[in-house]
Amino acid sequence: MMNIVYQSTRGGESGVTSSQAILKGLACDGGLFMPNRIPKLDISMKELAGKTYQETAYEVMKLFLTDFTREELKACIDGAYDGKFDTEAIAPLAKADGAFYLELFHGSTIAFKDMALSILPYLMTTAARKNHLDKEIVILTATSGDTGKAAMAGFADVKGTRIIVFYPKNGVSRIQELQMVTQKGDNTGVVAIHGNFDDAQTGVKRIFADKELAREMEEKGFVFSSANSINIGRLVPQIVYYVYAYGQLLHSGEIADGEKINVTVPTGNFGNILAAYFAKEMGVPIGRLICASNDNKVLYDFFRTGVYDRKRDFLLTISPSMDILISSNLERLIYLSTGCDPERTAGLMADLAERGEYTVTEEMKERMADFLGGFATQEEDKAAIRQVYKDTGYVMDTHTGVASAVYQKYKKDTGDETKTVIASTASPYKFARSVMEAVGDSRLPEDEFAVIDLLNQVSAMKIPGAVEEVRTAPVRHDRECDAEGMKETVRDILGLNVI
Ligand SMILES: *Cc1c(COP(=O)(O)O)cnc(C)c1O
């Protein structure tokens, strides 16, 4: 098997092993780690069709994480994808209204972030052991609502790690907030920031790049890493479910061997849909990658015009986990579309930081032609949820609703009837109020849990354990800070101020 090594999209690091890239999270020049090539699957789709999720995970991940031994990787996979998921399939497909909903919300925090964040702690602690790391790993995470909880669920009380999560104070759903502030584990820290997700993510990136702080941390025996989708240890496990979905469709006879499928993904930070692109490049027969945005439609505009322009109002919507104007993982696609030119990539990212926009060339645009942008307003989102519910009884959450609406529009506009997998990224229970408004109930009780009980009456879905848990759990975190105060807050939580 050929070794894969990783390099920064901005050129500052190269020849980094997969375990080192996972430990670091972000490259030291602020770039993202990319494999030196995207490996091809060395097993046919037909053979994959009969495999379990765990077996599929091994077939995909072994090709990227080439410095992990077979035993190490299998132990990580078996530790992650177990009874924490409420279904043996881990990522089941539900057929509704002519599309296949790939349900990625059966993990412990009921959002798709569990797919990668249940394995990341295993990968990271294995990587620490392999690299003889003698420091405590401090995971710094910005969250638009789902990453933070999923990361804490994975890292809580994991020896040798601490985790600090920043979330936008008024930018998450009630259940998302409750999930975070009730988090157990002595090594967890939760901070509400007075700002939006972009402020949180930019602040975290700034802390990572702070050389002085890094020195201070080192002296005290700490080292930073990231659980955000900028970490290659997030991206690689996310490729698995697209490969698995194709195998399942083949296995059940819904598609013929080699038949192309389209994929529609509700997108924020561009991590999930980038994983689908990697699956395609590995050899999975995928046609179009339809990138669905909410009203924060930077990506829709980008794929249409070639101009990435974040200079616009940040809108709070009913799909808060997609309320993002700076989609970090797009940098990886930009890098690929330059023909892996770190200088040009760094130049464009500098434009974004300094001028709030950048423009790609026609040639680069052509290299991204597999992607198509679409967006849905909040009304269209709700209408899609309502329509699929009325027609089929299937209830989806507000993020999946965006993808569903965009898929319907795409089909109408193009007449393309290619079978389509829609990434279903959260349980409707996580956004119960908006979902209940969508299915047609306009007078809802004040109490969030009363709304959840109403949703339970209309949907065939059981109330997940993750929701029952926060019904009564005591609040354990109440820290808040301004975006400018993030660094001091981190120093305080880590006790760096104490002599
Ligand atoms: C994070 C998230 C998204 C966006 O995924 P990206 O990988 O950031 O594009 C969509 N839906 C839900 C429910 C999420 O939690």
Side-chain angles (χ1 to χ4, degrees), residues 77-88:
I77 290 167
D78 291 341
Y81 304 112
D82 63 1
K84 289 192 283 301
F85 287 78
D86 67 10
T87 160
E88 222 169 284

Side-chain angles (χ1 to χ4, degrees), residues 111-113 146 266-272 321-322 324 397 399 425-426:
F112 103 87
K113 304 300 194 292
D146 291 324
T267 297
N269 224 358
F270 208 72
N272 199 358
S321 304
M322 296 158 66
I324 293 175
D397 96 290
H399 302 74
T425 50

